[in-house]
Amino acid sequence: MTKILALETATEACSAALLIDGEINERFEIAPRRHTNIILPMIAELLADAGLAAQNIDVIAFGAGPGSFTGVRVATSVAQGMALAHDLPVVPLSCLAVLALGGARTHDCESVAAVMDARRQEVYFAVYAVDQATQVATCLEPDAVGAPQDVRFPAGTKCIVVGAGAHVYGEQIAIMREPNVTLVDDPLYPRARDGLMQALDAFKSNATVAAEFAEPVYLRSAV
């Protein structure tokens, strides 16, 4: 019975989720600048509800970025601390992949352009193909940062655009939009539950890392 804890704090949203033998339990809150105060209580509640201690977890997954500099550091630090304390493997997840997985789950689409607000009139963006059966995302356009007009889409494939970046910069993104692309004006955030199956796939494939190698991904030097 595989037990996976996932953490996501890269945006205004803060979440933690626990996967136990296919069953998901999650804590999620929109909480700007409060991530450091609420992420540990979220984890404690999840473990208590499941009757588990931290050492009973098989692997810890976390949103490694891109995202808010401080937010990404929160998830990284908590994941590293728990993994080091209990000798657990870690799965760093792309926050854009997690967002794409959430978009596919919410809007029932297999090709998703994930767009996050990077401030400074820029966005973080990537395109992922999501296997609806396994809830695992495969990268089609790699994680990048740039102007909203730089967002790229797969040619000839039905695709949706989701995320707070799409919500804020929808007009600019729409200028470059292909006929096969639909922009969803919904400030969707990456959330921990959507990374659980991606983490499980990595765990089963031995694609985990040791805690000391779990590093944040910023895409630029300051956020």
Side-chain angles (χ1 to χ4, degrees):
M1 183 170 63
T2 305
K3 299 174 287 296
I4 299 177
L5 175 68
L7 314 175
E8 175 53 62
T9 61
T11 65
E12 289 90 339
C14 181
S15 59
L18 188 62
L19 175 71
I20 303 178
D21 198 27
E23 183 176 342
I24 294 174
N25 193 4
E26 183 193 38
R27 297 292 185 274
F28 175 86
E29 184 176 342
I30 305 296
R33 296 177 295 280
R34 294 184 54 236
H35 298 56
T36 54
N37 296 327
I38 66 176
I39 188 63
L40 290 177
M42 283 181 171
I43 295 168
E45 287 181 10
L46 287 171
L47 293 175
D49 286 351
L52 297 175
Q55 58 265 31
N56 301 134
I57 299 299
D58 293 304
V59 61
I60 300 175
F62 72 100
S68 157
F69 186 93
T70 301
V72 169
R73 287 300 310 171
V74 170
T76 303
S77 299
V78 173
Q80 281 184 328
M82 292 184 65
L84 285 169
H86 303 290
D87 192 25
L88 301 173
V90 177
V91 176
L93 297 173
S94 162
C95 297
L96 289 166
V98 174
L99 175 57
L101 285 157
R105 174 178 58 84
T106 305
H107 299 288
D108 192 26
C109 187
E110 295 181 354
S111 183
V112 183
V115 185
M116 294 165 52
D117 188 358
R119 311 302 182 189
R120 303 180 182 178
Q121 300 297 307
E122 289 186 325
V123 293
Y124 299 117
F125 60 91
V127 180
Y128 285 85
V130 176
D131 186 319
Q132 297 282 26
T134 63
Q135 287 299 295
V136 172
T138 301
C139 185
L140 299 179
E141 292 284 350
D143 295 11
V145 61
Q149 294 88 343
D150 294 335
V151 178
R152 298 180 294 272
F153 307 107
T157 302
K158 181 182 177 182
C159 178
I160 61 170
V161 188
V162 302
H167 179 70
V168 174
Y169 300 106
E171 184 175 344
Q172 294 95 312
I173 294 171
I175 293 172
M176 305 299 293
R177 195 166 69 207
E178 300 293 335
N180 58 303
V181 176
T182 301
L183 191 145
V184 179
D185 188 15
D186 177 7
L188 195 68
Y189 295 102
R191 54 193 300 169
R193 63 165 293 156
D194 292 312
L196 286 168
M197 299 310 293
Q198 190 87 5
L200 178 62
D201 182 69
F203 180 64
K204 289 181 175 179
S205 303
N206 295 316
T208 61
V209 300
E212 57 266 31
F213 298 111
E215 298 181 346
V217 176
Y218 297 125
L219 296 186
R220 69 185 184 197
S221 58
V223 181

